Amino acid sequence: MRLVRRIMRTFLPSLMVGVTLIASGIASAQKAAKKDPISVRLPGAAFAAMETINPEHIRWHVRYLSHDLLEGRGTGQRGGDIAAEYIATQFAEFGLKPAGDNGSFLQKVPLVGFTTLPETQFSLVPKQGAAMNLKVLNEYVAYDQTQQAQSDVDAEIVYVGYGIEAPEYNWDDYKGVDVSGKVLLMLVNEPPSDDPKFFKAKALTFYGRWVYKYLEAARKGAVGVILVHKDDMASYPWEVVRNSNSGEKSYLKLEGPALQVASWVHLDVAKKLAAVSGMDLDKMMTDARSRDFHPVALPVKLQAHMVSQVRPFESNNVVAMLPGSNRDRSRSPESCGASHREIA
């Protein structure tokens, strides 16, 4: 998917010209048709722009950017830097103007890469019964988002349903409960709906994203989050979670609150966690679908010793500008060209 986005961004400047001209021609013809029925005729420039789109050219770019020599184009890696230079060269070929640092097409972005190391320990400890020492990748994945080499967590677990606070949908899973210093157990996705006015029906909103859930928990002072993975709710199997979290993670340099433990657990682990808490996971999931849901403190703690390899580095955005062609600012936005930036 990242490759597709880069290719689209590479071709978007010329593609946008063609699409804009076509849309303008159709809109003009439609307005005229309301007065006098006429045949639709697109401007010659629109057809000329369409002729420049060659499937073979796209195929050549894909072949190069997907080649093994680029080593996957990892963020902050040699292959990623080569890909950025390649895209910058294409922007120059298109006649775009550089809009990056120091008159170049490249914009330096400070990032931090961190990898969870094997020394990390992750245990669910009930008030009664033996601790569950989980196996990394098979039963859980976890990252320390504080960008520290080591963090230790010994905190109570609170179940907060979907972990969503959305006033526009009259939805609040927290109900004003103070969760600072806690580890929050959450479900993936968002409350199921067929109503476009309620979490946009089957379309996934930002509230259903794990990124939002981590951010909201950190803003409320939680030290950790445990997301319960379920294939049909996440729309992908556990293997995707495992493979996506088995290497280095890259984030912008830390600004603001962050979680010491940002984690997922396998569904089987979540069932065991519910059982040792005297609860049933299926009922917990059902209860979370109601606006009346309230957070539930579980008689279980998370004890985690997070050990990370931290790597500060810089990566590149590729930034170009297509200046507008109409300098008459008195005309409407629809009729005058606006400066356009492309960031890869």
Side-chain angles (χ1 to χ4, degrees), residues 35 78 107 110 123 129 138 155 160 177 213 229 258 262 278 303 331:
K35 299 178 180 179
R78 176 176 175 274
Q107 177 192 47
S123 299
N138 290 330
V160 292
V177 173
K213 295 171 188 285
H229 177 268
Q303 293 182 352
R331 300 179 65 183

Side-chain angles (χ1 to χ4, degrees), residues 116 120 122 136 140-144 245 261-264 306:
T116 303
T120 294
F122 195 96
V136 66
Y140 85 98
V141 296
Y143 278 88
D144 182 351
N245 292 274
V261 178
S263 65
W264 296 66
M306 303 295 297

Side-chain angles (χ1 to χ4, degrees), residues 228-242:
V228 177
H229 177 268
K230 194 169 184 289
D231 287 7
D232 58 341
M233 292 174 64
S235 75
Y236 44 79
W238 175 256
E239 285 73 16
V240 173
V241 177
R242 180 180 62 196

Side-chain angles (χ1 to χ4, degrees), residues 109-114 145-147 250-258 310-314:
V109 180
L111 297 172
V112 176
F114 48 96
Q145 294 186 327
T146 64
Q147 301 177 5
S250 298
Y251 286 87
L252 292 172
K253 191 174 181 180
L254 183 62
E255 295 181 2
V310 182
R311 181 177 72 95
F313 65 96
E314 288 186 332

Side-chain angles (χ1 to χ4, degrees), residues 52-341:
T52 65
I53 302 174
N54 187 330
E56 287 301 317
H57 291 170
I58 297 175
R59 186 173 291 109
W60 298 335
H61 288 294
V62 171
R63 180 184 181 279
Y64 178 81
L65 292 171
S66 63
H67 200 282
D68 289 346
L69 290 174
L70 270 65
E71 302 169 344
R73 306 176 314 282
T75 304
Q77 303 294 331
R78 176 176 175 274
D81 291 339
I82 293 174
E85 290 286 355
Y86 181 83
I87 294 171
T89 301
Q90 300 307 312
F91 281 175
E93 287 284 339
F94 289 142
L96 302 179
K97 304 300 182 183
D101 299 332
N102 303 316
S104 73
F105 286 99
L106 302 181
Q107 177 192 47
K108 292 294 184 183
V109 180
L111 297 172
V112 176
F114 48 96
T115 306
T116 303
L117 298 179
E119 295 88 340
T120 294
Q121 299 174 3
F122 195 96
S123 299
L124 301 175
V125 184
K127 287 186 177 180
Q128 296 182 347
M132 292 185 284
N133 301 316
L134 303 188
K135 297 179 180 178
V136 66
L137 299 184
N138 290 330
E139 295 181 308
Y140 85 98
V141 296
Y143 278 88
D144 182 351
Q145 294 186 327
T146 64
Q147 301 177 5
Q148 301 297 314
Q150 290 193 26
S151 291
D152 288 288
V153 170
D154 184 1
E156 296 178 349
I157 298 175
V158 178
Y159 176 54
V160 292
Y162 289 96
I164 294 174
E165 184 176 342
E168 66 271 37
Y169 298 122
N170 190 26
W171 191 274
D172 182 6
D173 284 323
Y174 290 93
K175 301 294 192 298
V177 173
D178 183 5
V179 295
S180 58
K182 307 295 185 182
V183 173
L184 308 184
L185 181 69
M186 300 181 187
L187 304 176
V188 299
N189 213 304
E190 57 198 14
S193 169
D194 292 320
D195 183 358
K197 296 182 180 179
F198 182 69
F199 290 100
K200 296 186 178 179
K202 297 185 182 302
L204 181 66
T205 71
F206 184 57
Y207 291 116
R209 305 279 297 179
W210 55 266
V211 176
Y212 162 79
K213 295 171 188 285
Y214 287 164
L215 286 172
E216 187 65 18
R219 281 195 291 261
K220 293 182 180 296
V223 296
V225 165
I226 301 174
L227 285 174
V228 177
H229 177 268
K230 194 169 184 289
D231 287 7
D232 58 341
M233 292 174 64
S235 75
Y236 44 79
W238 175 256
E239 285 73 16
V240 173
V241 177
R242 180 180 62 196
N243 296 338
S244 299
N245 292 274
S246 59
E248 184 183 70
K249 288 282 189 183
S250 298
Y251 286 87
L252 292 172
K253 191 174 181 180
L254 183 62
E255 295 181 2
L259 300 173
Q260 292 175 281
V261 178
S263 65
W264 296 66
V265 294
H266 193 280
L267 183 64
D268 291 341
V269 172
K271 290 179 179 179
K272 293 177 183 177
L273 174 58
V276 299
S277 303
M279 304 175 71
D280 176 76
L281 184 61
D282 288 336
K283 186 177 185 305
M284 291 169 67
M285 290 182 172
T286 300
D287 292 345
R289 297 179 180 182
S290 170
R291 282 194 173 96
D292 296 329
F293 169 84
H294 279 74
V296 180
L298 304 183
V300 183
K301 284 187 173 184
L302 171 66
Q303 293 182 352
H305 176 58
M306 303 295 297
V307 185
S308 306
Q309 176 180 304
V310 182
R311 181 177 72 95
F313 65 96
E314 288 186 332
S315 187
N316 290 308
N317 274 341
V318 185
V319 191
M321 180 170 62
L322 177 63
S325 59
N326 191 322
R327 299 183 181 278
D328 184 357
R329 297 179 181 272
S330 65
R331 300 179 65 183
S332 65
E334 291 81 11
S335 58
C336 65
S339 294
H340 181 70
R341 287 184 177 225

